[in-house]
Amino acid sequence: MITTLTERMRGLVSLFWREVAKFGAVGGIAFVIDNGLTYYLMHGPMTDSEAKARFFGASVATVFSWVANRFWTFRHRRQANVLREFVMFIIINGIGIGISTGFTALAKYWLGISDKNMLFLAGVAGILVATVVRFFAYRFLVFNQELDAEPEFSHDHEIIELHPHAEHGQKTSASVASAAVKDPELPAPPA
């Protein structure tokens, strides 16, 4: 099983490289938007509200990121229901914004850091953590319309979902028999 999972992960990495490159380019621009706006706000209009400045910068970058990812990075995987896709994107980015804003707030209120540059860097560290979460969430949850249409990706969902042969924790003898045909590792039904 570990060998199979290792082979699948190696295959996923090799197949993701194009999307990762595009995602990285969009993320790089969003990073500049987020941090440029945050830095300006932290040293200007929101000088005493560093976490709010981070939240606002991240929100503007999120809107840019959705448009760029929808029409470029994952353009072949867009969902037909744009509203559902956008809502899922916003939820996932809300989690990402929570991570980056949380790093800034933790640094300021929990660690007692008052230097604006250190608070800015804490937010950057949060962005890096949130980026990894976002990529996989976008790929598997938001822009996944044609995920199973490609043979290379046809079994990737099995890594994050329940085993397809399980039927809500109960197996009938018919399902075990049909599963034995599909998966030789499962035991045969009793005779």
Side-chain angles (χ1 to χ4, degrees):
M1 173 159 168
I2 292 188
T3 305
T4 304
L5 184 59
T6 304
E7 289 173 4
R8 289 301 301 154
M9 293 307 288
R10 197 174 310 134
L12 284 172
V13 169
S14 68
L15 291 170
F16 279 153
W17 78 268
R18 283 188 183 99
E19 286 178 349
V20 169
K22 289 179 180 181
F23 180 79
V26 169
I29 295 169
F31 183 84
V32 170
I33 292 170
D34 182 354
N35 288 298
L37 189 54
T38 299
Y39 189 84
Y40 165 73
L41 293 171
M42 278 182 159
H43 291 85
M46 296 182 168
T47 191
D48 293 329
S49 302
E50 294 85 357
K52 288 179 185 174
R54 173 64 64 193
F55 179 82
F56 187 78
S59 297
V60 172
T62 294
V63 173
F64 163 78
S65 181
W66 178 70
V67 172
N69 280 309
R70 176 169 173 75
F71 293 104
W72 187 48
T73 307
F74 301 110
R75 71 178 176 267
H76 294 92
R77 302 186 196 298
R78 296 185 292 208
Q79 294 184 16
N81 186 339
V82 177
L83 182 59
R84 180 185 182 281
E85 179 185 272
F86 183 71
V87 168
M88 288 186 69
F89 192 87
I90 292 299
I91 289 169
I92 290 165
N93 274 281
I95 293 167
I97 291 170
I99 293 169
S100 63
T101 303
F103 271 53
T104 302
L106 284 172
K108 181 174 183 174
Y109 301 113
W110 192 57
L111 298 176
I113 297 173
S114 60
D115 180 53
K116 291 194 184 307
N117 292 327
M118 292 303 291
L119 293 172
F120 180 79
L121 290 176
V124 170
I127 288 171
L128 297 175
V129 171
T131 297
V132 174
V133 172
R134 284 182 180 129
F135 176 77
F136 286 103
Y138 293 167
R139 182 66 176 90
F140 286 104
L141 301 174
V142 179
F143 301 108
N144 62 353
Q145 187 65 29
E146 296 183 18
L147 187 62
D148 290 333
E150 298 179 27
E152 295 89 0
F153 289 104
S154 64
H155 298 290
D156 293 346
H157 59 89
E158 293 173 9
I159 294 172
I160 60 172
E161 294 175 359
L162 292 174
H163 196 276
H165 300 296
E167 296 177 8
H168 306 292
Q170 300 175 359
K171 291 187 177 185
T172 63
S173 59
S175 67
V176 171
S178 70
V181 172
K182 294 177 188 173
D183 192 346
E185 294 183 71
L186 291 176

